[in-house]
Amino acid sequence: MNIVVCIKQVPDTDDIKWTKENNLDRSNMLSKLNEQDEWALDYAKKFKDKFKDVKITALSMGPMQALETLNYALAKGADRAILLSDKLFSGSDTFATAKILASAISKYIGDFDIILTGQMASDGDTAQTPVSLAQMLDIPDITNVVEIHNADKNGAIVSQKLDNVINMFEVSSPCLIAVKNECKEKYKPKIGDYIKAQDSKIEIISAENLDLAREDIGIIGSPTMVYKAFRPELNKNTEEIKEDYVQKIIDFMVKVNE
Amino acid sequence: MGKIAVYCEIEQNNNSLKDVSYELLSKARRLKKEAKKMNCADNDFQVVAVALGKNLEKSSLENAFRAGADYFTFIKDESLENFSQTAYSLSFIEYYNTNQFDMIIFPATYEGRMVAPRITTILETGLVADCTGLEFIEKNGKIALASTRPTFGAELMATILSKKNPQCATVRPKTFDIEYCEIKEDYLNFYCEYNLKYPINETRIKLLRTFFDSENNIDFSNSKIVLAAGWGLYTGKDREYFDKLEKIAKKVDAKVGASRKVVDLGLMSKSCQIGQTGSTVNADLYVAFGISGAIQHTVGMKNSKKIIAINSDENAEIFKYADYKIVADAKKVIDDLIKHLS
């Protein structure tokens, strides 16, 4: 069984820094593997441990810095790691990103059984790239997955959680599964895993390696464009309650319940 | 004549439209009126409601027209009885090919977020996720849809345009107000049913079973009051104040939420976590007890109508989001509340 795990390196939103001009100071922010993508890697590892013939390919798009993330994926059990890195890729929106991923998967991975992704990335928060990718590859997708019960060459059995309803699906492969809950079987790489990971060379793929036109990728290939970005102003007229606050809280509660 | 389409979502169990459909229709009508005032050539728009399913409640239809629809198309087919992301997307596309739109607004519900990226990918156009603002601006002499959305855990707002038509966005429920207007008696003349020529039978996905997740579920969507527990309630040894907060919640018919830190420490269950990796709350009244106000939390509660924050640190971030600020030990406030309520 061939599993592809799409992962993304994201800025640590607990560590946001701003420039004097109120722009995000990306160069000084810490990066980390998107949390939900780590869970996707855990699920892949779970099935690698369960069955013998599982091959995991970790795939990421980003600057060279994202090599760290792929090294981590290798230590976590991936057999192969691919970084899609090119200045021409930068500025890609979800549509262009999905296009690049789809092209790389078709050309460099070929026959896969399951694509695993996190439900969303913590920086963009769109949850659109996985669905778009599934559409481009013409495969079924199940998002909002909280448990993958089984996965083999034929497909997977998963639980999807939508508010208070759980839908259990059987999906035939090839398919895409986006997870939003951590895997019970977590794997923390040990030093030996990192040393072993050094044996695997991360493949770096640039725009010219893909069968895509310049017009398909990056800012040019993105159907959306950022018109402006700004820091939200809270504009809250916060009023301090200094006395009788307990009674006032109760008054508010009573009023709302009326 | 330009067309703004609104993807209307049908509630599967009662065949009526979800409220978010009316919210988006009302917003579309406001945009239509805004366009009229703009000095652009094509400033005439129609609002088209589009719903997919097998059955549709009659009252919903009337409400859709009252909320803002000029036209209503019901894409009706046996194959659409149960939701399927592929069948719904492809059926929408089949209809779209007979009647194209300049803009499509989708609800950022589970269903909307499953179909919208498929639809826009097929149409090779853009999609702006989870918008909190929609407006019309002039771009190269034409009217363009400017969609504003929070990003980076809501630390940054981005306004995004689409270079291509249809210009598409998803919008969270409860973002826009519903405005009902009087409608003409002949509104049904503007309703049509579209019968699919190529129904999709999705055989690759099989629903095995559906069940309610009773123990692991807090539905914040209908709660007027939410009391949220933060790290400031921890005594260092037990759950005393978390239990007390739950007691208060019972008395005032409120739901209890929690910050990530409290959940990570196992003091409250994951199901009550509010924020980026938890639930989003739009309560009428939100009271934060001892919550510091990390972005990860505030992104999930800041749209509540009235926010009271209690924290002993007068510089706590949470106060920036609060309508009312109380600088006090949240534990003491809880003790006093219990005294007052008993």
Side-chain angles (χ1 to χ4, degrees):
Chain A
M1 175 168 56
N2 275 325
I3 303 179
V4 180
V5 188
C6 295
I7 60 176
K8 185 183 184 187
Q9 192 177 43
V10 294
D12 189 343
T13 43
D14 286 338
D15 179 59
I16 287 184
K17 301 218 167 52
W18 299 90
T19 63
K20 278 181 194 147
E21 295 78 34
N22 245 350
N23 291 319
L24 280 174
D25 185 3
R26 288 172 193 257
S27 55
N28 282 314
M29 282 197 288
L30 296 171
S31 295
K32 60 172 190 183
L33 170 61
N34 183 46
E35 195 180 19
Q36 300 189 340
D37 301 348
E38 167 133 30
W39 302 340
L41 281 170
D42 282 323
Y43 280 109
K45 175 86 166 86
K46 168 178 162 179
F47 294 107
K48 189 180 168 176
D49 291 343
K50 194 169 162 188
F51 305 112
K52 273 186 196 140
D53 62 334
V54 175
K55 191 177 170 193
I56 302 171
T57 304
L59 176 66
S60 189
M61 181 174 106
M64 293 307 271
Q65 199 193 359
L67 285 171
E68 296 165 12
T69 310
L70 285 164
N71 264 319
Y72 179 68
L74 287 169
K76 234 174 130 69
D79 303 282
R80 188 182 170 199
I82 302 173
L83 176 65
L84 306 167
S85 194
D86 199 311
K87 278 213 173 80
L88 294 176
F89 293 152
S90 70
S92 295
D93 68 0
T94 58
F95 178 81
T97 302
K99 209 161 202 180
I100 294 165
L101 292 174
S103 167
I105 289 170
S106 305
K107 185 166 177 183
Y108 290 93
I109 300 172
D111 287 338
F112 62 87
D113 299 293
I114 296 172
I115 298 175
L116 292 177
T117 71
Q119 174 67 22
M120 57 169 69
S122 61
D123 55 348
D125 244 14
T126 72
Q128 288 178 180
T129 308
V131 181
S132 204
L133 176 62
Q135 178 60 44
M136 285 175 188
L137 294 169
D138 195 18
I139 57 173
D141 69 296
I142 311 255
T143 55
N144 294 290
V145 166
V146 290
E147 180 65 74
I148 305 175
H149 305 283
N150 195 27
D152 57 35
K153 269 204 94 62
N154 300 318
I157 295 175
V158 301
S159 280
Q160 170 192 65
K161 187 163 191 263
L162 309 178
D163 292 328
N164 55 351
V165 171
I166 289 191
N167 295 315
M168 202 188 261
F169 289 109
E170 187 178 338
V171 54
S172 59
S173 65
C175 62
L176 182 144
I177 296 166
V179 299
K180 68 167 179 189
N181 198 22
E182 59 190 339
C183 178
K184 284 186 202 91
E185 291 88 351
K186 274 184 233 168
Y187 187 72
K188 271 225 149 82
K190 299 170 185 68
I191 294 173
D193 295 316
Y194 286 103
I195 296 169
K196 217 179 128 205
Q198 287 174 350
D199 297 340
S200 309
K201 215 171 148 235
I202 298 171
E203 297 157 60
I204 298 167
I205 292 170
S206 62
E208 60 177 17
N209 301 126
L210 298 177
D211 303 324
L212 290 172
R214 175 76 191 87
E215 298 78 50
D216 290 330
I217 56 175
I219 289 178
I220 306 172
S222 298
T224 62
M225 56 179 275
V226 178
Y227 174 61
K228 60 179 179 191
F230 55 96
R231 256 182 109 167
E233 280 183 37
L234 287 164
N235 277 337
K236 280 252 175 179
N237 293 317
T238 307
E239 185 187 314
E240 183 164 358
I241 308 178
K242 287 189 169 161
E243 282 159 23
D244 271 349
Y245 45 70
V246 171
Q247 189 56 49
K248 277 178 186 150
I249 295 172
I250 292 171
D251 290 346
F252 279 127
M253 289 175 174
V254 170
K255 212 172 151 194
V256 166
N257 274 336
E258 265 168 11
Chain B
M1 182 78 78
K3 282 182 190 156
I4 312 170
V6 172
Y7 181 103
C8 294
E9 183 173 336
I10 296 177
E11 197 94 57
Q12 300 264 327
N13 52 12
N14 61 13
N15 298 321
S16 61
L17 291 182
K18 282 195 174 168
D19 277 351
V20 63
S21 314
Y22 309 129
E23 293 162 17
L24 300 185
L25 287 168
S26 288
K27 178 64 186 178
R29 179 166 57 198
R30 290 196 289 274
L31 286 171
K32 178 177 85 176
K33 286 182 185 162
E34 217 176 276
K36 281 265 194 235
K37 293 182 214 149
M38 292 170 77
N39 197 14
C40 293
D42 308 313
N43 65 357
D44 229 0
F45 283 90
Q46 290 173 339
V47 178
V48 185
V50 182
L52 298 101
K54 189 187 162 200
N55 295 303
L56 176 65
E57 237 342 275
K58 271 203 180 119
S59 60
S60 288
L61 198 56
E62 189 186 333
N63 284 340
F65 280 100
R66 285 173 58 220
D70 296 313
Y71 290 89
F72 194 115
T73 299
F74 181 36
I75 304 172
K76 189 178 170 164
D77 197 86
E78 289 283 330
S79 66
L80 301 172
E81 182 173 9
N82 295 311
F83 174 72
S84 144
Q85 53 270 49
T86 31
Y88 271 49
S89 310
L90 293 170
S91 301
F92 185 94
I93 293 287
E94 184 191 315
Y95 171 68
Y96 179 87
N97 288 334
T98 69
N99 189 4
Q100 308 208 335
F101 309 119
D102 300 277
M103 297 160 193
I104 310 172
I105 308 173
F106 296 89
T109 51
Y110 288 114
E111 177 175 324
R113 300 184 77 162
M114 288 179 203
V115 297
R118 279 194 177 262
I119 290 170
T120 53
T121 298
I122 295 169
L123 298 174
E124 302 204 316
T125 190
L127 176 64
V128 190
D130 235 0
C131 299
T132 53
L134 295 178
E135 57 178 336
F136 275 171
I137 60 157
E138 194 199 316
K139 186 103 192 345
N140 305 329
K142 282 188 171 169
I143 291 173
L145 180 67
S147 313
T148 300
R149 67 180 306 264
T151 173
F152 275 95
E155 276 291 274
L156 191 68
M157 301 297 285
T159 301
I160 293 166
L161 302 179
S162 182
K163 300 180 214 164
K164 289 179 165 180
N165 273 12
Q167 303 164 53
C168 302
T170 66
V171 178
R172 271 214 184 157
K174 287 194 176 179
T175 300
F176 299 122
D177 293 329
I178 305 175
E179 284 173 86
Y180 287 121
C181 294
E182 290 289 313
I183 47 167
K184 289 186 199 131
E185 270 174 34
D186 68 345
Y187 70 88
L188 281 176
N189 292 342
F190 301 93
Y191 167 74
C192 77
E193 283 178 8
Y194 178 83
N195 297 305
L196 289 175
K197 289 188 186 70
Y198 309 103
I200 305 293
N201 180 18
E202 176 57 90
T203 52
R204 300 171 299 181
I205 299 174
K206 213 163 75 190
L207 180 64
L208 301 177
R209 59 185 285 222
T210 290
F211 49 95
F212 282 96
D213 192 12
S214 53
E215 63 172 297
N216 188 16
N217 154 52
I218 292 181
D219 182 8
F220 286 106
S221 61
N222 296 316
S223 44
K224 287 183 169 177
I225 306 176
V226 173
L227 309 179
W231 170 243
L233 292 186
Y234 187 42
T235 54
K237 51 178 202 286
D238 56 27
R239 290 189 74 250
E240 181 184 353
Y241 284 92
F242 299 94
D243 292 337
K244 283 180 173 168
L245 189 65
E246 277 171 356
K247 227 161 124 187
I248 296 171
K250 257 192 199 141
K251 282 213 164 133
V252 299
D253 195 20
K255 296 240 162 80
V256 176
S259 69
R260 184 172 73 180
K261 196 165 181 184
V262 163
V263 171
D264 284 351
L265 285 165
L267 292 160
M268 296 284 283
S269 89
K270 172 87 184 149
S271 62
C272 49
Q273 187 176 323
I274 290 166
Q276 199 174 24
T277 44
S279 306
T280 303
V281 171
N282 300 312
D284 290 330
L285 177 65
Y286 187 91
V287 192
F289 290 87
I291 287 180
S292 63
I295 306 151
Q296 132 76 34
H297 179 75
T298 54
V299 62
M301 50 62 83
K302 62 181 186 171
N303 292 328
S304 294
K305 292 198 183 74
K306 195 160 278 170
I307 297 170
I308 304 176
I310 306 156
N311 201 300
S312 52
D313 172 7
E314 64 169 326
N315 297 316
E317 278 289 307
I318 190 81
F319 290 137
K320 289 188 188 161
Y321 301 86
D323 299 290
Y324 298 97
K325 161 181 182 174
I326 297 170
V327 182
D329 181 351
K331 295 195 281 290
K332 187 175 175 299
V333 175
I334 285 188
D335 283 331
D336 290 345
L337 273 171
I338 288 181
K339 254 185 246 159
H340 271 69
L341 289 168
S342 57

